[in-house]
C-alpha cells in the first residue's frame, strides 16, 4: 500500500484490527479516494503525508468520509506536525470532506481546521484541547472563509476541552448540536456572539454531562428555528430565563441547582412534549401551554402541586408522574388523555373523580401509591390496567366487568385485596401476583373465551380454580398454596384438558 500508483483508483478503504501498523500509508495522495475507515489500530501514531511533487497540493483531494476509531496512540495528523503547522505548510486539508468521525483517540491533542465542505462531525473520547476553528489554509485552495456548511456537530466524552469554538467561528447551517460528557467545558465560544445565521438554522440542541457549565447559550431566545431542547446533568445551571418560542420538545433532567422554570413557558404555543426529571429544588410549575400532548414529571422532590390549568389542555394525551413524594392531590384531568401512569406517589390520597369521564383513556398504570384506599369508577375505554403495590386498596371497582375493551389486567402486591369483581369478557392476559389475602377467583373466568395468558404468583390462600377457558395458551402457577398444586395434579378435568391443548405451556412451581 505504500506504492500509491498501484492503488490510485481506490475509492473506498477500510482497515480494521491492523494491530501492528505504526505509520499509516500515504493515502493522502490517492486522487479518487472518497471513503476511509481506520479502526482499532492500537499502534498507529500518525497519518503519512507523502505527496506527489505538485506545485499545489491537497491532502486527500477527493475524500468525503473519514472515520477513525480506536487509534489510542494517535498523536498527530501528519508526521508530527500539529494542525496549525500542517495548515501553514499545505494548501488544504480535506477539501471535499463532508463527514468526519473521531472516536476513542485519547492522545490526539489537536484537530485540523474544519474542512470547507464539512456537514457532519462526530467527536467522542478524543484528547483535543483547543477550540474548533473554521479558518482554512493560507491561500486560494480552500479560501479563508470562517463559515462552513456544518449541519450536525456532536462532541461526547472529551474531558480536556474547555471552549467549544473560536469566538469568530461561523456555523451558518448548523441544525443539530449535541455536547455531552465534557466536564471541563465552561463556554461554547462565539456560537451566538456574532450574527452567524445559526439563529435561523439550529433545530436540535442537547447538553448533557457538563459539570463546569453555568450558562447555556447567550440570547437563546434568538434561536427562532429551535424545535428540541435537551439539558441534563448540568449541576451548576441555576436559571433557564429565556427559551425560544419555537420549541416543540423540552427535556430537562438531573439539574440539581435549577429552582424554577421560565413563566414564558405558557406562551410557547408550539410545545408538544415536556419532560422534567430529577430537579430536586423545583417547587412549582408555571402554567403550561395549551398545545401540550405529553407531560412526564419524575423525581421532583419538592414539587407540591400541579397547575390547575392542566384540565384545560385539550391536546394532552399522555401524563406520567413518577416519584413526586410531596404531591397530595391531582387537579381535574383533561378529557383527551389516552395514557395515565402514576408511580411512587407517597402522599397521594385519592384520584380525581374526573377520571371516570375520560372516554379516550386506553392505559392506566398505578404503582406504589401507599395511601390510596379506593378507585373511582373506571372508564369503559380502557385497554390496559395495571395496579401494583397499593398497600391500602381493599377492593376493585365493580365497573371492571363493563370495560368491554380491556384486554390486559395486572394486579400485583395489594395485600388487603380479598376478592376480585367479575372480569370483562375481552381479557387476553391476566396476571395476579403477591395477593396475600385473595382466597378465590371470580367464576366469570371460565367465560372469557379470549384469554391466552394466565399468571398466578404468590397467592398463598388460593386453594382452587374455577373452570378455565380452552383459549389459554400459557399458564404459570408459582409460590401458591399446596392444595392448588394437588388440584392441578389429581382433580382432572380443567388442568388435564388445558395441558393437552395445542401450543399451550403449563408451568407449576
Amino acid at each position: 500500500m505504500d506504492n500509491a500508483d498501484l492503488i490510485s483508483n481506490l475509492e473506498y478503504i477500510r482497515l480494521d484490527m491492523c494491530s501492528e501498523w505504526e505509520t499509516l500509508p500515504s493515502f493522502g495522495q490517492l486522487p479518487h479516494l472518497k471513503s476511509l475507515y481506520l479502526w482499532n489500530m492500537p499502534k498507529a501514531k500518525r497519518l503519512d503525508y507523502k505527496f506527489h511533487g505538485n506545485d499545489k497540493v491537497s491532502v486527500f483531494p477527493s475524500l468525503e468520509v473519514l472515520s477513525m476509531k480506536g487509534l489510542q496512540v494517535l498523536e498527530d495528523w501528519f508526521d508530527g506536525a500539529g494542525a496549525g503547522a500542517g495548515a501553514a505548510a499545505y494548501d488544504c486539508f480535506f477539501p471535499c470532506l463532508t463527514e468526519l468521525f473521531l472516536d476513542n483517540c485519547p492522545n490526539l491533542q489537536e484537530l485540523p481546521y474544519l474542512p470547507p465542505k464539512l456537514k457532519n462531525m462526530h467527536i467522542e473520547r478524543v484528547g483535543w484541547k483547543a477550540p474548533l476553528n473554521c479558518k482554512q489554509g493560507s491561500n486560494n485552495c480552500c479560501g479563508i472563509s470562517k463559515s462552513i456548511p456544518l449541519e450536525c456537530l456532536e462532541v461526547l466524552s472529551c474531558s480536556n476541552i474547555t471552549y467549544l469554538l473560536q469566538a469568530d467561528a461561523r456555523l451558518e447551517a448548523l441544525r443539530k448540536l449535541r455536547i455531552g460528557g465534557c466536564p471541563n467545558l465552561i463556554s461554547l465560544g462565539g456560537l451566538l456572539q456574532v450574527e452567524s445565521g445559526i439563529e435561523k438554522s439550529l433545530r436540535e440542541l442537547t447538553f448533557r454531562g457538563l459539570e463546569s457549565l453555568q450558562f447555556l447559550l447567550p440570547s437563546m431566545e434568538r434561536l427562532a428555528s429551535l424545535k428540541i431542547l435537551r439539558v441534563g446533568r448540568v449541576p451548576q445551571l441555576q436559571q433557564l430565563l429565556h427559551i425560544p418560542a419555537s420549541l416543540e420538545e423540552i427535556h430537562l433532567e438531573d439539574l440539581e441547582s435549577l429552582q424554577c422554570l421560565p413563566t414564558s413557558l405558557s406562551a410557547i404555543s408550539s410545545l408538544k412534549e415536556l419532560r422534567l426529571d430529577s430537579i430536586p429544588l423545583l417547587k412549582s410549575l408555571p402554567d403550561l401551554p395549551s398545545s401540550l400532548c405529553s407531560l412526564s414529571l419524575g423525581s421532583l422532590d419538592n414539587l407540591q402541586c400541579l397547575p390547575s390549568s392542566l384540565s384545560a389542555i385539550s391536546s394532552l394525551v399522555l401524563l406520567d408522574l413518577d416519584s413526586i413524594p410531596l404531591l397530595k392531590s391531582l387537579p381535574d384531568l383533561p378529557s383527551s388523555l389516552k395514557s395515565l401512569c402514576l408511580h411512587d406517589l407517597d402522599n397521594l390520597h385519592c384520584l380525581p373523580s374526573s377520571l371516570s369521564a375520560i372516554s379516550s383513556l386506553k392505559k392506566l398504570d398505578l404503582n406504589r401509591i401507599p395511601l390510596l384506599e379506593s378507585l373511582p369508577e373506571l372508564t369503559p375505554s380502557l385497554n390496559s390496567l395495571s395496579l401494583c403495590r397499593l398497600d391500602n386498596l381493599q377492593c376493585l371497582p365493580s365497573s371492571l366487568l363493563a370495560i368491554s375493551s380491556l384486554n390486559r389486567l395486572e394486579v400485583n402486591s395489594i395485600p388487603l385485596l380479598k376478592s376480585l369483581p367479575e372480569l370483562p369478557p375481552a381479557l387476553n392476559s391476566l396476571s395476579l401476583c403477591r395477593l396475600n389475602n385473595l382466597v378465590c377467583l371470580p367464576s366469570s373466568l371460565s367465560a372469557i373465551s379470549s384469554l391466552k395468558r394466565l399468571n398466578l404468583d404468590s397467592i398463598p390462600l388460593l386453594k382452587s380454580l374455577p373452570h378455565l377457558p380452552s383459549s389459554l395458551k400459557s399458564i404459570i402457577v408459582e409460590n401458591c398454596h399446596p392444595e392448588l398444586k394437588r388440584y392441578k395434579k389429581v382433580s382432572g378435568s380443567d388442568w388435564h384438558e388445558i395441558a393437552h391443548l395445542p401450543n399451550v405451556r403449563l408451568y407449576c412451581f
Side-chain angles (χ1 to χ4, degrees):
M1 282 193 165
D2 281 328
N3 189 337
D5 292 334
L6 296 179
I7 59 173
S8 61
N9 288 328
L10 282 179
E11 296 182 0
Y12 178 101
I13 296 177
R14 172 177 165 179
L15 305 180
D16 192 357
M17 298 299 293
C18 300
S19 57
E20 296 300 318
W21 285 15
E22 295 185 7
T23 300
L24 296 170
S26 53
F27 295 143
Q29 60 182 299
L30 298 179
H32 304 294
L33 185 63
K34 294 182 178 179
S35 301
L36 177 60
Y37 296 84
L38 307 174
W39 291 351
N40 304 310
M41 304 176 70
K43 293 186 178 181
K45 294 183 178 180
R46 61 186 62 87
L47 303 180
D48 188 358
Y49 74 113
K50 297 175 182 176
F51 307 106
H52 295 295
N54 299 336
D55 293 336
K56 292 186 177 181
V57 178
S58 293
V59 183
F60 297 98
S62 300
L63 195 67
E64 297 174 358
V65 179
L66 173 61
S67 175
M68 297 196 299
K69 178 174 67 175
L71 278 64
Q72 288 91 348
V73 299
L74 184 72
E75 298 175 354
D76 298 307
W77 287 86
F78 304 109
D79 274 6
Y90 293 95
D91 289 343
C92 191
F93 286 93
F94 314 115
C96 295
L97 195 70
T98 59
E99 298 186 46
L100 174 61
F101 303 94
L102 304 176
D103 185 3
N104 194 14
C105 304
N107 287 324
L108 185 60
Q109 299 295 314
E110 297 187 37
L111 299 182
Y113 290 132
L114 298 183
K117 296 183 179 180
L118 191 65
K119 290 187 176 182
N120 190 359
M121 185 175 188
H122 179 99
I123 309 171
E124 185 169 0
R125 295 178 293 174
V126 175
W128 66 300
K129 297 179 180 180
L132 294 175
N133 194 344
C134 297
K135 181 180 179 181
Q136 305 301 331
S138 58
N139 59 34
N140 294 327
C141 175
C142 292
I144 310 179
S145 171
K146 294 180 180 294
S147 177
I148 63 171
L150 190 66
E151 296 179 358
C152 176
L153 174 60
E154 296 179 305
V155 179
L156 306 175
S157 301
C158 296
S159 58
N160 293 334
I161 189 68
T162 55
Y163 292 86
L164 180 64
L165 295 169
Q166 293 281 6
D168 55 354
R170 295 175 64 86
L171 302 179
E172 298 179 356
L174 192 64
R175 296 170 60 87
K176 178 180 179 180
L177 176 61
R178 180 185 174 206
I179 308 173
C182 301
N184 293 309
L185 185 71
I186 60 176
S187 172
L188 301 172
L191 200 59
L192 278 180
Q193 294 179 8
V194 295
E195 292 295 334
S196 63
I198 191 176
E199 302 92 340
K200 298 179 181 180
S201 64
L202 194 63
R203 297 177 62 86
E204 183 175 340
L205 183 58
T206 301
F207 296 138
R208 183 165 182 83
L210 308 179
E211 283 80 358
S212 299
L213 193 68
Q214 298 183 17
F215 306 98
L216 300 185
L217 293 174
S219 304
M220 183 181 287
E221 69 275 9
R222 289 165 46 194
L223 299 176
S225 296
L226 193 67
K227 303 297 183 185
I228 301 174
L229 174 64
R230 302 186 185 98
V231 183
R233 208 156 41 86
V234 186
Q236 296 197 51
L237 182 65
Q238 298 183 9
Q239 294 180 321
L240 192 63
L241 295 179
H242 305 291
I243 52 179
S246 57
L247 281 170
E248 295 180 358
E249 296 181 24
I250 299 177
H251 301 175
L252 306 177
E253 58 183 10
D254 294 314
L255 302 176
E256 58 189 58
S257 297
L258 187 67
Q259 300 185 28
C260 62
L261 299 182
T263 56
S264 60
L265 189 68
S266 62
I268 303 179
S269 59
S270 57
L271 191 66
K272 298 183 182 303
E273 181 176 339
L274 176 62
R275 180 178 300 173
L276 308 176
D277 191 12
S278 300
I279 309 178
L281 300 183
L282 189 66
K283 294 182 178 180
S284 62
L285 299 177
D287 283 336
L288 302 175
S290 58
S291 58
L292 206 61
C293 297
S294 174
L295 175 62
S296 298
L297 308 176
S299 299
L300 304 179
D301 295 342
N302 276 288
L303 186 69
Q304 300 183 17
C305 63
L306 302 182
S308 58
S309 59
L310 188 68
S311 61
I313 304 178
S314 59
S315 59
L316 192 68
V317 297
L318 185 149
L319 177 60
D320 191 344
L321 307 178
D322 189 351
S323 301
I324 309 178
L326 300 184
L327 188 66
K328 294 182 178 181
S329 63
L330 300 177
D332 283 337
L333 301 175
S335 59
S336 55
L337 271 185
K338 292 184 178 180
S339 175
L340 175 62
C341 299
L342 307 177
H343 294 183
D344 290 289
L345 304 179
D346 293 340
N347 277 289
L348 187 68
H349 288 77
C350 62
L351 301 180
S353 58
S354 58
L355 185 64
S356 306
I358 303 178
S359 59
S360 60
L361 193 65
K362 303 296 183 185
K363 178 182 178 181
L364 176 61
D365 281 6
L366 306 178
N367 190 341
R368 217 189 79 76
I369 310 177
L371 300 183
L372 189 65
E373 296 182 356
S374 64
L375 300 177
E377 294 299 316
L378 300 175
T379 175
S381 60
L382 281 176
N383 295 145
S384 175
L385 175 61
S386 178
L387 306 173
C388 300
R389 295 190 296 171
L390 306 178
D391 295 343
N392 277 288
L393 188 67
Q394 299 186 24
C395 63
L396 304 187
S398 58
S399 59
L400 194 65
L401 175 63
I403 307 178
S404 59
S405 59
L406 190 69
N407 54 53
R408 176 184 173 272
L409 174 61
E410 178 184 5
V411 183
N412 189 339
S413 301
I414 306 181
L416 301 183
L417 188 66
K418 295 181 178 180
S419 63
L420 297 175
E422 297 299 321
L423 300 176
L427 271 185
N428 181 276
S429 174
L430 175 61
S431 179
L432 306 175
C433 302
R434 297 179 182 85
L435 304 177
N436 294 336
N437 278 290
L438 186 69
V439 296
C440 65
L441 301 183
S443 59
S444 60
L445 189 65
S446 61
I448 304 177
S449 59
S450 58
L451 193 65
K452 298 291 190 299
R453 292 173 292 276
L454 175 62
N455 183 20
L456 305 175
D457 184 0
S458 302
I459 312 177
L461 300 183
L462 184 65
K463 297 181 180 181
S464 64
L465 298 175
H467 286 291
L468 299 176
S470 60
S471 56
L472 277 169
K473 292 188 176 181
S474 174
I475 307 171
I476 299 177
V477 179
E478 188 171 0
N479 300 319
C480 289
H481 196 281
E483 287 292 327
L484 187 59
K485 294 184 179 182
R486 284 197 291 273
Y487 170 84
K488 173 252 176 181
K489 292 178 180 177
V490 304
S491 64
S493 60
D494 284 323
W495 288 101
H496 178 77
E497 293 172 7
I498 292 298
H500 286 81
L501 288 174
N503 301 320
V504 83
R505 293 176 296 166
L506 175 60
Y507 306 93
C508 190
F509 303 96

